[in-house]
Amino acid sequence: MSGRHPALRAPLLTEAQIRERVAALGREITEAYAGRELTITCVLKGGFIFLADLVRAIEVPCTMDFMVISSYGMGTRSSGVVRILKDLDAPIDGKDVLVVEDIVDSGLTLSYLLRNLETRRPASLEVCSLLSKPGRHDNDVPIRFVGFEIPDDFVVGYGLDAGERFRELPEIWTVDETRL
Ligand code: 5GP
C-alpha cells in the first residue's frame, strides 16, 4: 500500500506480536487435543488469515470447513441477528469441533453460531478467537482460546476489514471511524 490511509491510527499489534501469540495458541491447542483429530470451523471472511497461520502451528491432524455468515447491524456494530450465507460442507456430529473466529465483540454472533452448531451434536465444541473485547461481552461467552484481549476500539488488518478494506495489512490497527 502506498502511504498510510488517513483512517489508520496506530498499530495495536505488530506482526511479531501476532506471530508469537499464534505460535503459542498452536501449542495450547495441540496440547488440549493431543491424540484426537480436530474439525476446524472457520468463519469467513475475517478469520482467513488467522486460520492459515494457526493451522500451521497446530500439530494434531485437522480438517477445515468454512461458514460465511452475515450479521445485520448498524455500521460497525452487530445485532446478533445472523444469516448463514454459506453453511459447512460436511456434518459435524461426533466431531471435536473448534470454531476459529477473528474477533468477539458483543459476543452475539458467536452465541448464535454456537447455538446453531450445538444442534448438530458435535462430540465437543470450543472456540478460538484471535481477539476479544472483554469490555463488550459477558464473561459467559465461552472462548476457550483467546489470542489477545483488546480495548473497545474498532480494529482492522490481519483479515479484519472496514468496508472490505485493510484485510491484507500484516498488523492490527486501530482506526478512526470518522475517516473511513
Ligand atoms: P459481535 O457479534 O461479537 O458483536 O461481532 C462479531 C463480528 O463483528 C466479528 O466477527 C467482526 O466481523 C465484526 N467486528 C466486531 N468488532 C470488530 C472490529 O473491531 N473490527 C472489525 N473489522 N470487525 C469487527
Side-chain angles (χ1 to χ4, degrees):
M1 201 165 69
S2 62
R4 187 195 299 174
H5 190 284
L8 296 175
R9 261 206 293 241
L12 181 69
L13 298 166
T14 64
E15 228 181 320
Q17 285 173 307
I18 298 170
R19 196 182 316 118
E20 204 171 293
R21 188 67 193 113
V22 171
L25 280 173
R27 288 192 294 272
E28 277 179 52
I29 292 168
T30 300
E31 214 166 280
Y33 289 91
R36 290 190 282 168
E37 197 166 309
L38 257 182
T39 299
I40 294 183
T41 293
C42 179
V43 183
L44 294 175
K45 301 176 194 170
F48 82 108
I49 293 184
F50 175 44
L51 176 83
D53 286 341
L54 183 67
V55 292
R56 285 177 288 179
I58 294 176
E59 291 176 24
V60 293
C62 52
T63 60
M64 277 149 260
D65 207 344
F66 298 89
M67 279 179 102
V68 180
I69 59 182
S70 90
S71 58
Y72 295 102
M74 294 289 287
T76 54
R77 297 284 183 216
S78 83
S79 64
V81 182
V82 174
R83 195 159 53 115
I84 295 178
L85 302 181
K86 183 216 167 283
D87 206 342
L88 298 175
D89 289 335
I92 55 167
D93 57 291
K95 307 282 189 189
D96 288 311
V97 175
L98 180 67
V99 176
V100 173
E101 268 277 18
D102 52 356
I103 185 165
V104 178
D105 182 16
S106 68
L108 292 170
T109 306
L110 183 61
S111 299
Y112 169 88
L113 191 65
L114 291 177
R115 276 199 307 276
N116 180 293
L117 295 177
E118 204 60 79
T119 64
R120 308 182 195 195
R121 310 212 168 283
S124 66
L125 181 60
E126 302 282 2
V127 178
C128 175
S129 183
L130 176 66
L131 305 174
S132 167
K133 294 180 186 171
R136 295 260 308 145
H137 56 79
D138 302 336
N139 285 333
D140 60 357
V141 181
I143 317 173
R144 167 97 184 261
F145 308 96
V146 182
F148 301 92
E149 294 194 333
I150 63 166
D152 180 20
D153 288 319
F154 194 76
V155 294
V156 297
Y158 197 69
L160 289 144
D161 76 312
E164 293 302 324
R165 304 175 74 166
F166 308 122
R167 292 192 198 276
E168 75 283 13
L169 299 177
E171 313 82 15
I172 290 174
W173 294 74
T174 54
V175 292
D176 178 349
E177 294 175 63
T178 64
R179 307 186 80 176
L180 285 170

